[in-house]
Amino acid sequence: MKTYLVGGAVRDALLGLPVKERDWVVVGATPDELSREGYQLVGRDFPVFLHPTTHEEYALARVERKTGPGYHGFAVRFSPDVTLEEDLRRRDLTINAIAQDDAGQLHDPYGGQADLEGRLLRHVSEAFSEDPVRILRVARFAARFAPLGFEIAQSTLALMTQMVRNGEAAALVPERVWAETFKALNESRPSVYFTVLQSCGALDVVFAELATQARLPGFAWAESLLALDRAAAANQPARVRLAAMLGHLSSTEQIESLCTRVKVPTDYRDLALLASRARADAADAATAPPGGLIAMLEDIDAFRRGERFGEALEAWRAGGLAERALRRLRTAHEVASRVTLSPLDRTGLVGPAIGALLRERRVAAVAAAVPVLD
């Protein structure tokens, strides 16, 4: 039995990047052997074990054979006679198909080190085309490594394009699409993820609303991608990044459609819808009177949901709204949020009358702060 460190840990170490997690492949062993040594079985489709001490994942070397469409149609074979080279051949990219043994020796049968040096994302073998999720993964790796100068090999991009034409991308289920998209949103250049999907034709299949926008005349698509990367550069969370990008779609119906189909989490969808619906009002905040500012804040429920309001501000900032408008809106929110009504103020008032008095006091407070806002 031999164990090898594989995948991202080897790749990132060679690139001089922090290694976040380590995965291992085991050659020449059976599930019973690992179980007797204290490894805990966790894999359902094929044997993956947790190390008894480190709790890192150890997978038995395996080979896969395509048996049906999509990514569920696979027959998996694992046995002690499966070689390291056979296991590495089923991986997606050459830079992810480098292994390291206990002595630190690298095993690189498919040229991953050369592709790291050449800054190339290249598929290992034609087996790449058997799994449509790999289209999304390559786009995500392109987004991650774009700042290092990585590009997708033309042969790999051509294979991805052919997979889309063959209908493989249509087999992607919403959960897998969102899982990869969420990771991509958190990369350093998330716009690259969407431009890669566009270049191979997958954008039409996975994000039809974005593909429609990309075909429109003008600069809406470019502005969406720029807003996304601005939010990433500002280290905003994925929820704000998505809202900044979707804020440039032509209608909230498109946002609803995209988020429903891909099963985007509710809080992500709600922020994107808020940022889109209130974008024009937020832009008007640069010149709005105190009463108008309070009305805007009430319309977007900013006094009850201050955190979401703050995220909307960041989405608008990434989307290019004037800083003066954002500053006035934020300061109006801060000033008005400090206004309260005492029990004495409420004497003799019920229901709407209390809300009207609170609004009046908030408008007065913001009016007094206008010189500061200017």
Side-chain angles (χ1 to χ4, degrees):
M1 181 175 74
K2 293 184 179 180
T3 61
Y4 299 87
L5 184 65
V6 294
V10 179
R11 176 200 67 220
D12 290 347
L14 291 173
L15 287 172
L17 300 174
V19 175
K20 298 180 180 179
E21 61 181 14
R22 305 195 304 172
D23 294 311
W24 304 80
V25 65
V26 183
V27 177
T30 66
D32 287 343
E33 287 179 282
L34 288 180
S35 295
R36 285 196 297 269
E37 294 195 17
Y39 288 78
Q40 180 184 357
L41 177 64
V42 293
R44 292 183 300 177
D45 298 328
F46 50 84
V48 176
F49 294 80
L50 296 183
H51 190 279
T53 303
T54 67
H55 302 294
E56 293 174 337
E57 288 192 356
Y58 284 67
L60 291 182
R62 66 186 190 270
V63 293
E64 298 171 345
R65 179 173 56 85
K66 184 80 165 176
T67 60
Y71 54 87
H72 289 300
F74 286 94
V76 181
R77 181 177 67 85
F78 54 90
S79 66
D81 65 346
V82 175
T83 66
L84 176 65
E85 289 72 19
E86 288 176 317
D87 181 272
L88 294 176
R89 187 178 184 277
R90 68 174 177 78
R91 297 176 184 269
D92 50 10
L93 298 172
T94 60
I95 64 171
N96 296 330
I98 308 170
Q100 182 178 329
D101 61 26
D102 292 340
Q105 178 73 32
L106 294 177
H107 299 261
D108 180 20
Y110 302 107
Q113 293 177 86
D115 285 342
L116 283 175
E117 294 175 3
R119 297 300 193 251
L120 201 62
L121 302 176
R122 181 170 60 88
H123 64 286
V124 175
S125 70
E126 293 303 309
F128 177 98
S129 63
E130 296 178 348
D131 185 356
V133 173
R134 290 178 170 178
I135 297 172
L136 305 177
R137 281 176 54 83
V138 171
R140 175 165 61 83
F141 281 123
R144 176 182 301 180
F145 294 124
L148 298 180
F150 276 81
E151 296 182 351
I152 301 174
Q154 286 301 312
S155 59
T156 301
L157 188 60
L159 184 57
M160 292 163 61
T161 303
Q162 189 59 50
M163 290 170 66
V164 174
R165 291 174 179 168
N166 291 345
E168 282 289 329
L172 290 166
V173 298
E175 292 80 3
R176 296 302 296 270
V177 172
W178 173 247
E180 291 297 325
T181 301
F182 172 75
K183 294 175 184 177
L185 288 171
N186 284 289
E187 301 293 2
S188 54
R189 286 276 300 282
S191 67
V192 175
Y193 174 76
F194 295 98
T195 57
V196 168
L197 296 182
Q198 180 187 19
S199 65
C200 71
L203 196 68
D204 281 278
V205 179
V206 181
F207 298 111
E209 297 81 4
L210 298 180
T212 297
Q213 182 193 39
R215 286 191 289 267
L216 293 175
F219 302 99
W221 177 235
E223 290 171 354
S224 292
L225 298 178
L226 180 60
L228 175 58
D229 282 347
R230 280 181 183 149
N235 202 30
Q236 294 298 326
R239 184 167 52 243
V240 174
R241 300 182 189 197
L242 183 65
M245 179 185 189
L246 297 185
H248 289 275
L249 283 175
S250 59
S251 70
T252 55
E253 287 76 14
Q254 288 182 311
I255 297 176
E256 290 266 20
S257 173
L258 185 152
C259 291
T260 298
R261 191 180 62 260
V262 184
K263 296 187 178 179
V264 173
T266 301
D267 56 336
Y268 283 65
R269 181 203 63 198
D270 290 349
L271 179 62
L273 288 171
L274 171 66
S276 176
R277 287 171 177 156
R279 179 181 173 83
D281 286 341
D284 290 341
T287 56
L293 292 172
I294 295 299
M296 291 179 196
L297 294 170
E298 290 177 336
D299 285 344
I300 60 178
D301 204 15
F303 296 116
R304 291 197 309 152
R305 305 195 61 178
E307 181 180 356
R308 189 182 67 169
F309 165 69
E311 290 181 335
L313 282 177
E314 295 304 328
W316 291 326
R317 176 173 285 111
L321 257 62
E323 192 61 36
R324 171 181 165 82
L326 300 178
R327 187 174 66 251
R328 292 192 83 229
L329 201 53
R330 180 186 291 278
T331 308
H333 178 260
E334 292 173 352
V335 170
S337 294
R338 293 194 291 266
V339 175
T340 60
L341 295 180
S342 68
L344 184 61
D345 293 327
R346 297 170 181 263
T347 302
L349 300 178
V350 294
I354 296 176
L357 178 60
L358 180 60
R359 185 178 304 109
E360 179 183 328
R361 297 279 180 87
R362 284 172 169 171
V363 171
V366 171
V370 167
V372 177
L373 296 177
D374 287 339

